[in-house]
Amino acid sequence: MGRILFWLGLAALIYAAIVVARSKRKRSCRSSERKQPTEYSSVRMIKCEVCGTHFPEDEAVLGDGRSFCSEKCRKTARMKAARRNEAE
Ligand SMILES: [Zn+2]
């Protein structure tokens, strides 16, 4: 009889540990889920003038008052502008 009580107690402890671990995990998931949608919805998607890629506004590389998806596209735009100036 003592053994059965021991195993029952052990099972209850394990069950309690699982429940606690799950509730902690849920809480952390919920807090991260709450943050992400607001972050995503607040970020506007803009189009790169050089390659036409859509990207989040906060990742934009700014140059000459315009927004580009990457440093490479900003350089390309500058080179194009420089060539245009040379031709004129
Ligand atoms: Zn680009």
Side-chain angles (χ1 to χ4, degrees), residues 11-29:
L13 271 174
I14 291 165
Y15 179 75
I18 290 166
V19 168
V20 168
R22 271 189 191 169
S23 68
K24 272 185 186 171
R25 214 179 289 162
K26 266 186 195 168
R27 247 176 253 155
S28 66
C29 278

Side-chain angles (χ1 to χ4, degrees), residues 48 55 59 61 68-75:
C48 176
F55 59 98
E59 285 175 24
V61 178
F68 305 101
C69 72
S70 65
E71 186 68 32
K72 195 181 154 193
C73 283
R74 187 172 71 173
K75 278 182 185 169

